[in-house]
Amino acid sequence: MSSYRQQLRSVMGNELRTIFGDEGVLLVLVLALLIYATVYSLAYGSQVLRNVPIGVIDDCSTSTSRSLVEAFDAGPNTVVAYEPTDMQEAERLFFDRKIYGVVYIPSDYEQNLLGGLQANVAIYCDASYFLMYRQVFQELVTTIGATGAMVEFQRLVAKGANIPQAQATTQPVIYQSHNLFNPYLGYGSFAMPAIIMVIIQQTLLIGIGMIGGTWREFGLYSKLRPAGRRRMSTLPIVLGRGLVYAAIYGVTCTYILALHYRLFHFPMNGTTGAVLGFMAAYLAACIALGLAVSTLFRYRENSLLLLLWTSIPLLMLSGVSFPREGIPGWLYAFGQIFPSSHGVEGFIRVQSMGASLAEVLPEIKALLMLAAIYGGLACIGIHCVLKREEREQEGREAME
């Protein structure tokens, strides 16, 4: 046990000196998580898209049609920025990206309403940008529906119906909407929990990979041996290095999940114990994967070239950017070998939905299993690297 403690202290001290003596690694492991989380949070700071510009072509030009235009402009999601005279002008504004929707009110709009006929209003929405499309379509359809209900209400009252009867006829069913876990339907509250988890994994993989590539390139793995020892177990190496990264990310994640979440008003429905327990399992899996992968890089640049581009695919495989029910089964199953797939799903349930550790136990078990598997692979990989360095050293000594 004394020998293992000596090895553990030696490895941890060497790892800390390496991290804080390498500006590139320090930037990735310590500052990148803070920078990325802040930049993304600022970009999604408004949470909800408001005042999307639209154009309204009013060929009717009556008080009734103007009331409809004013209703479009009064809603929180849209603003009538232009009133083009024809569809050609509206099309030009649309393709110049000055408006994201067009409403056409025909010349017989008021005549049909007053005559008891069905009036038609044409809506054109930009479906190439889903957020714009959702806000424009929802606001316009809601406004037209409310206008139609009001017209029908006025007709019934004019025919002698009392107000309660008219209300019951025009609105036979009244619903109450309660948005759970994301009451303002904010995009930042939806996307940031998943993005933060992927950032944690990717910065760990890249930073650990940079250190591993540097050591492979210059044959520095042998420095992990304590003085006077020719051989040593790889378990203290993996454990010692893992504890260093866990300590660093314990500090940065505490800032992100405590202060950063409060600054940007992201949902914090999970208990402290549940969040800490889940994050411990997630960090263990990510660190073990990073240590295992780092033994494959011969140069430090390899980690950047091979791992940086995987961030977006891993976010998609987690089932957040696109529902996992729509992802091919084999592709979703492939994503389960990465900690981020289990981490994103479990973390959203814990932090955003307030789930307990018992309710995310399948995700925790999967993360611990990945930590054990990748930890074992890290031990094997480091052992192979040490053996290779020993053979190279013996070869150099024989040549001398």
Side-chain angles (χ1 to χ4, degrees):
M1 294 301 296
S2 176
S3 175
Y4 273 96
R5 285 194 296 268
Q6 179 187 2
Q7 294 176 16
L8 192 64
R9 287 194 299 268
S10 175
V11 169
M12 293 179 66
N14 182 77
E15 198 74 19
L16 285 170
R17 287 190 296 271
T18 302
I19 292 173
F20 289 95
D22 191 321
E23 294 179 354
V25 173
L26 189 64
L27 175 63
V28 173
L29 287 177
V30 179
L31 299 179
L33 175 60
L34 308 180
I35 294 172
Y36 276 117
T38 302
V39 170
Y40 277 109
S41 299
L42 288 173
Y44 301 142
S46 59
Q47 291 277 4
V48 180
L49 183 63
R50 300 292 191 190
N51 297 323
V52 180
I54 63 171
V56 179
I57 304 172
D58 186 6
D59 279 352
C60 186
S61 299
T62 61
S63 59
T64 305
S65 63
R66 282 194 294 272
S67 297
L68 182 61
V69 176
E70 292 172 358
F72 291 145
D73 196 48
N77 296 330
T78 58
V79 57
V80 180
Y82 296 91
E83 295 190 37
T85 57
D86 52 35
M87 286 300 296
Q88 287 73 23
E89 183 182 354
E91 183 177 346
R92 186 174 64 255
L93 291 170
F94 177 84
F95 285 111
D96 289 342
R97 312 307 287 174
K98 294 182 178 180
I99 58 176
Y100 294 89
V102 178
V103 180
Y104 175 71
I105 304 176
S107 58
D108 59 353
Y109 173 76
E110 184 180 67
Q111 179 182 348
N112 289 338
L113 283 182
L114 298 179
L117 301 176
Q118 189 177 55
N120 295 316
V121 175
I123 299 175
Y124 302 86
C125 299
D126 182 6
S128 65
Y129 194 163
F130 272 2
L131 284 178
M132 293 288 192
Y133 170 81
R134 175 183 176 274
Q135 297 300 85
V136 172
F137 183 78
Q138 184 179 32
E139 187 68 41
L140 295 180
V141 170
T142 301
T143 301
I144 291 174
T147 301
M150 180 57 67
V151 171
E152 182 63 22
F153 175 82
Q154 293 172 348
R155 286 177 183 172
L156 294 173
V157 172
K159 291 179 180 179
N162 57 43
I163 292 180
Q165 290 176 335
Q167 289 178 336
T169 302
T170 55
Q171 290 184 308
V173 178
I174 298 177
Y175 69 91
Q176 293 181 341
S177 176
H178 301 280
N179 301 318
L180 303 177
F181 314 123
N182 188 359
Y184 301 106
L185 300 178
Y187 189 78
S189 297
F190 156 73
M192 281 309 298
I195 292 175
I196 287 175
M197 298 303 280
V198 173
I199 292 174
I200 290 173
Q201 174 181 279
Q202 295 304 96
T203 52
L204 271 170
L205 295 184
I206 293 173
I208 298 174
M210 290 175 66
I211 293 177
T214 302
W215 288 359
R216 281 284 305 275
E217 182 177 359
F218 297 101
L220 301 178
Y221 268 94
S222 58
K223 288 188 174 182
L224 296 175
R225 295 191 182 92
R229 294 287 301 275
R230 290 291 297 174
R231 297 183 181 276
M232 64 180 295
S233 171
T234 56
L235 182 59
I237 298 178
V238 174
L239 184 59
R241 297 183 68 190
L243 288 175
V244 170
Y245 297 118
I248 293 174
Y249 271 73
V251 175
T252 55
C253 289
T254 298
Y255 161 77
I256 292 294
L257 301 180
L259 182 59
H260 185 88
Y261 254 63
R262 285 186 171 86
L263 289 175
F264 291 95
H265 307 288
F266 295 140
M268 300 178 63
N269 299 316
T271 63
T272 302
V275 174
L276 291 178
F278 185 83
M279 288 302 299
Y282 181 66
L283 287 177
C286 292
I287 292 170
L289 175 60
L291 293 174
V293 172
S294 67
T295 61
L296 303 177
F297 300 131
R298 294 184 59 86
Y299 306 98
R300 63 185 286 131
E301 295 81 6
N302 293 153
S303 65
L304 287 170
L305 295 175
L306 296 177
L307 296 175
L308 190 60
W309 65 270
T310 61
S311 300
I312 294 179
L314 289 176
L315 184 63
M316 296 181 65
L317 289 176
S318 68
V320 173
S321 60
F322 191 77
R324 63 179 184 177
E325 291 78 9
I327 300 176
W330 66 270
L331 189 57
Y332 181 77
F334 172 74
Q336 301 307 293
I337 67 174
F338 300 101
S340 56
S341 296
H342 307 281
V344 167
E345 183 174 352
F347 181 71
I348 290 176
R349 293 174 62 190
V350 170
Q351 183 73 314
S352 298
M353 303 173 67
S356 64
L357 286 179
E359 292 172 321
V360 292
L361 192 58
E363 286 78 14
I364 293 177
K365 288 181 178 179
L367 289 172
L368 294 178
M369 185 179 299
L370 291 178
I373 294 173
Y374 289 129
L377 292 176
C379 289
I380 296 173
I382 292 175
H383 177 76
C384 293
V385 172
L386 288 172
K387 285 292 186 181
R388 187 181 299 111
E389 288 189 2
E390 286 181 5
R391 290 194 298 268
E392 292 175 354
Q393 179 65 24
E394 290 174 356
R396 286 192 295 268
E397 292 176 353
M399 291 179 62
E400 293 175 357

